[in-house]
Structures are given as C-alpha cells and as structure tokens.
Amino acid sequence: LVGRVVRSDTKQPIAGALVAKNTSWEPGVLSDVAGQFELAGFPNSLEKDLKVSAAGFATAFVSIEPRPDAAAEQVEIELREGLSIVGKVLDTKGSPIRGAYVSVVSRHHRIMGDRRLSNGEWVPSTGAAQWTGCLTGENGAFLIEGLSSTVGYTIVCVRRGLGTRYLEIGTL
C-alpha cells in the first residue's frame, strides 16, 4: 500500500506519522517529509485495518479494502488535530497512586458498521476496541494523547489490589 498522510484542515503533509496494521504487533512505517509511506503486503485477505498516529494529532483508524489493482492505488489519510487528557489518580485519602493503568476507550468501537456523528462525519467501526493507555507515575499523574474531539470516551483506571474505576465522558 502506498499513501500519503496529511492534515485534514490544510492538506499539508505530516512527516513522522506512524502507519501500522491495527490488528498485529508488527512494527509500522513512518511517513517521510512529504507525508509519503509504503506498507508492504497490505491490505490482504486477513488484514485491512490501519492505525495512523502522529504527535499532536488524533489517531485515525482506516479500513482499506483489498483490490486486485491495489498496487496502483494511492491513498490519502487525513489526520485531525488531537486532544489530550491529563490527570492524577488518587486514593480515597488524596494520596497519589503510582503504577495504575489508565486507558481511554472510544465508545463507538462497540457499534458494528459505520455511523454518522452529529457533525455529519462518518466514523468507521471495525468492531475492535480503539484504545490507548499508560501507567501513572510516582505522583499518580498520567497523560494520554491522540484523542479525537468527535468521539465519546470511557476512561478506565485499574490498579491491582485497589479495583477498577470507570468514567464516561462525552465528546472532548
């Protein structure tokens, strides 16, 4: 698959975007200064979903249908500016909790098929969870980047021995 990663607002190329298969742990490829990338052996009959991310942008999940003439096809993937969630995980006494796992899961991943958001944008759903997460630091702090402003999220915080907490948030 040959393609280009660009800003959705200006169509300017995004250098250093990571383009990877969404369903595997194989390393992806980085886009060059012109936003160009080449991902060998993709799409195929088993894999068609991409995860595209870049610093300062919302992560995009894109489905590419395999076609016999795919070698001749050039795809353009647009990324929107992304948002971040910054926070602290504290116990009931207000003390920071180090090493808690905080994840953010997009709520639309549970819907099968595409759906239209209120702003008219179509959101593809692969049925697979679209999430990202991190561990809290010494002071209980966390930072999660690459979120979209058009999707609702569930924040999940887990710490062994302390249980699990969920927080539903609307669009950011």
Side-chain angles (χ1 to χ4, degrees):
L1 177 69
V2 176
R4 184 172 178 242
V5 181
V6 298
R7 294 179 59 104
S8 65
D9 54 354
T10 65
K11 306 299 185 235
Q12 293 297 309
I14 299 173
L18 177 63
V19 180
K21 298 172 187 175
N22 190 37
T23 57
S24 92
W25 292 101
E26 295 176 33
V29 296
L30 295 176
S31 61
D32 63 19
V33 294
Q36 299 286 330
F37 69 89
E38 184 172 349
L39 191 59
F42 187 88
N44 59 54
S45 62
L46 299 175
E47 296 178 303
K48 63 178 184 173
D49 299 319
L50 289 178
K51 179 179 179 181
V52 184
S53 57
F57 293 89
T59 300
F61 296 89
V62 181
S63 289
I64 309 289
E65 290 296 327
R67 295 181 6 189
D69 61 341
E73 184 179 10
Q74 167 97 9
V75 298
E76 186 167 277
I77 299 170
E78 296 181 1
L79 297 184
R80 296 175 182 258
E81 286 192 29
L83 301 175
S84 302
I85 295 178
V86 178
K88 277 191 176 183
V89 178
L90 307 173
D91 65 17
T92 56
K93 297 177 184 174
S95 299
I97 298 176
R98 175 182 170 262
Y101 181 70
V102 180
S103 64
V104 177
V105 183
S106 60
R107 280 192 258 146
H108 79 277
H109 81 271
R110 292 181 284 243
I111 300 170
M112 293 307 203
D114 294 346
R115 78 174 176 134
R116 186 182 291 273
L117 297 176
S118 59
N119 67 0
E121 176 184 358
W122 283 98
V123 177
S125 176
T126 62
Q130 298 171 359
W131 59 271
T132 186
C134 65
L135 292 175
T136 57
E138 291 290 330
N139 63 353
F142 67 89
L143 167 65
I144 296 178
E145 300 178 291
L147 304 176
S148 170
S149 62
T150 60
V151 175
Y153 291 96
T154 300
I155 300 174
V156 181
C157 180
V158 179
R159 178 67 164 102
R160 187 176 184 164
L162 297 177
T164 302
R165 298 289 184 262
Y166 299 88
L167 175 64
E168 298 279 334
I169 57 176
T171 55
L172 302 174

